[in-house]
Amino acid sequence: MQIESIVCPEYVEAKLEAKHGVTYREARQALLSRPRIRFAENGRTEGEDVYACFGQTLGGRCLAVFFIYKPTSKTAIISAREMSERERKTYGRK
C-alpha cells in the first residue's frame, strides 16, 4: 500500500482533538512511520475500503489511525485514538 497524499476534513480534525486528544499532525506521523496496516471493513464506495493503521508518532505515542484508502493513493483519515493495551502488545511483537 502506497500512501502518497493524506487528507483530513476540518470536522474530523476537530473530532480527533476533542474526543480522542489526538492531533492531525500525530495521526499523520503514525501513518508515515512504517506502521502495521490491516483491513478493517468494506467501504461504502467500491474500492474505498477502511483500514486500521498501528503506528508511532515522533514523540513515541502509539496510535491507531483509521482511514479510507482511495484508488488514487489518497488517504482520508476518519478517526484516530491511543492504542489499547492489547493492540500495543500485538504491535510491539511484530
Side-chain angles (χ1 to χ4, degrees):
M1 179 176 294
Q2 181 79 18
I3 296 174
E4 293 181 14
S5 176
I6 300 171
V7 295
C8 186
E10 287 184 26
Y11 72 92
V12 173
E13 207 173 317
K15 181 192 93 165
L16 295 179
E17 287 197 48
K19 188 173 180 181
H20 303 292
V22 176
T23 65
Y24 165 69
R25 182 181 222 160
E26 289 175 316
R28 183 179 170 83
Q29 288 173 3
L31 275 169
L32 299 174
S33 69
R34 296 207 219 199
R36 307 266 186 263
I37 296 176
R38 68 170 175 79
F39 175 82
E41 63 184 49
N42 291 322
R44 294 181 184 156
T45 304
E46 188 169 336
E48 295 185 2
D49 296 326
V50 178
Y51 292 86
C53 155
F54 301 97
Q56 199 167 18
T57 66
L58 295 175
R61 193 171 179 193
C62 294
L63 298 179
V65 181
F66 299 89
F67 64 94
I68 296 171
Y69 183 73
K70 298 179 180 260
T72 58
S73 298
K74 279 190 176 180
T75 301
I77 296 172
I78 55 175
S79 190
R81 60 171 170 74
E82 287 274 347
M83 279 189 216
S84 68
E85 279 301 313
R86 185 176 180 181
E87 290 166 340
R88 197 180 309 264
K89 286 178 186 175
T90 301
Y91 173 73
R93 274 192 219 138
K94 297 185 178 185

